[in-house]
Amino acid sequence: MAGISSESLTTALAQLEAKLPFASLQLAKDLFGILGTVDSSAGLRRALTDPSRTGDEKSALVKQLVGGKVSADAAEIAGGLASSRWASARDIGDALETLAATVVIAVAENKSAVSASGITGLEELENDLFAFNQAVASSHEVQRALSEPQASPAAKIALAEKLVPGSSEEAKVLISQAVTQPRGVKPSKLVESFAKLAAKRQQRWIANVSVTRPLTETQASRLQAGLNALYGRELKVNVNVDPALIGGIRVQVGDEVLDASVVARLTELRRQLAG
């Protein structure tokens, strides 16, 4: 996904973030259900990505289709996607899939964030998804069974759950989606993409810190406390000594970078002078 579709997805993910602390698996299931409706009709996909229709018209169409069948939050999210611009008819479905998976991942994150670092729940989810893919890769018979077009969704789900007994409810939702609605790819490939989303979410809980010299225990404790207070969560702090910084500190949490190094200030000064 690129261009205008990528921009629309980025906006939708940013808007979804406000709902994630309170998200439920039912919201994800509702979004996956809407995805199934969208995927089932080429005409609907064209209507939802028709540039001649206004965003309000397309949003109203979605809400008319799903109103009363899913939660208000799910209808709002789907309506927001419909009101955005998409480069191709498939892109809106891909975006719905990403948002639904992100909700599932956030539920796993929230389970452990109350009493410990949210990274714990994310690691457990990623491990369950990895275990499923390992089990699939080890058996050609299983691969054939999961790709058999005549097999019922219930049969595929039952087989998938036997492969990873004891997996979390969040993993079951994502794996079930992958084996019943792979959307043109192998189920294991879709599970892999879900695992990558979970891994990316983990980066929100990891602070990669670069300093010019090793920190004392007191400095490390103060850094940990300061970062936890700044981000409002218990971060895992990785400290790297990088003399090339010359002075100061550089912190990266997810996609956000806080750079107070001498190198960064000199670079900014050069940019201003060049401008």
Side-chain angles (χ1 to χ4, degrees), residues 110-184:
N110 295 341
K111 279 200 314 184
S112 58
V114 175
S115 57
S117 171
I119 198 172
T120 304
L122 294 172
E123 288 176 338
E124 290 174 353
L125 173 59
E126 192 175 3
N127 288 339
D128 286 341
L129 298 179
F130 181 69
F132 170 80
N133 271 1
Q134 277 192 313
V136 172
S138 66
S139 171
H140 293 297
E141 183 179 348
V142 168
Q143 294 169 30
R144 286 193 296 271
L146 291 178
S147 60
E148 172 54 58
Q150 301 303 319
S152 69
K156 291 181 178 181
I157 291 173
L159 173 59
E161 291 187 354
K162 287 181 180 178
L163 297 176
V164 280
S167 61
S168 68
E169 290 303 310
E170 295 78 29
K172 289 178 181 177
V173 169
L174 293 179
I175 292 170
S176 295
Q177 177 67 20
V179 300
T180 58
Q181 294 189 54
R183 306 183 68 240

Side-chain angles (χ1 to χ4, degrees), residues 26 86 96 140 184 221 257 267 274:
Q26 186 56 52
W86 304 96
L96 259 172
H140 293 297
S221 296
V257 176
T267 301

Side-chain angles (χ1 to χ4, degrees), residues 80-257:
L81 285 179
S83 68
S84 300
R85 297 172 59 198
W86 304 96
S88 73
R90 181 183 170 88
D91 285 352
I92 190 171
D94 290 346
L96 259 172
E97 184 178 71
T98 298
L99 294 185
T102 299
V103 171
V104 176
I105 291 165
V107 172
E109 177 183 40
N110 295 341
K111 279 200 314 184
S112 58
V114 175
S115 57
S117 171
I119 198 172
T120 304
L122 294 172
E123 288 176 338
E124 290 174 353
L125 173 59
E126 192 175 3
N127 288 339
D128 286 341
L129 298 179
F130 181 69
F132 170 80
N133 271 1
Q134 277 192 313
V136 172
S138 66
S139 171
H140 293 297
E141 183 179 348
V142 168
Q143 294 169 30
R144 286 193 296 271
L146 291 178
S147 60
E148 172 54 58
Q150 301 303 319
S152 69
K156 291 181 178 181
I157 291 173
L159 173 59
E161 291 187 354
K162 287 181 180 178
L163 297 176
V164 280
S167 61
S168 68
E169 290 303 310
E170 295 78 29
K172 289 178 181 177
V173 169
L174 293 179
I175 292 170
S176 295
Q177 177 67 20
V179 300
T180 58
Q181 294 189 54
R183 306 183 68 240
V185 301
K186 292 181 178 180
S188 58
K189 190 69 175 178
L190 186 51
V191 168
E192 181 183 340
S193 72
F194 291 154
K196 287 179 179 178
L197 286 175
K200 184 176 181 181
R201 189 81 184 170
Q202 285 184 36
Q203 297 306 308
R204 299 175 65 253
W205 295 86
I206 301 173
N208 292 306
V209 180
S210 295
V211 293
T212 55
R213 60 177 63 88
L215 301 179
T216 65
E217 288 188 13
T218 299
Q219 289 172 326
S221 296
R222 288 176 179 171
L223 175 64
Q224 179 80 62
L227 289 173
N228 290 347
L230 179 62
Y231 286 93
R233 51 186 180 268
E234 186 76 20
L235 297 176
K236 177 181 178 181
V237 178
N238 297 326
V239 178
N240 172 56
V241 177
D242 182 6
L245 289 177
I246 303 176
I249 184 172
R250 183 181 187 275
V251 179
Q252 181 168 0
V253 179
D255 294 329
E256 183 176 355
V257 176

Side-chain angles (χ1 to χ4, degrees), residues 250-271:
R250 183 181 187 275
V251 179
Q252 181 168 0
V253 179
D255 294 329
E256 183 176 355
V257 176
L258 306 176
D259 199 332
S261 69
V262 171
V263 170
R265 292 196 292 272
L266 288 174
T267 301
E268 176 61 19
L269 178 59
R270 292 192 191 98
R271 188 191 65 79

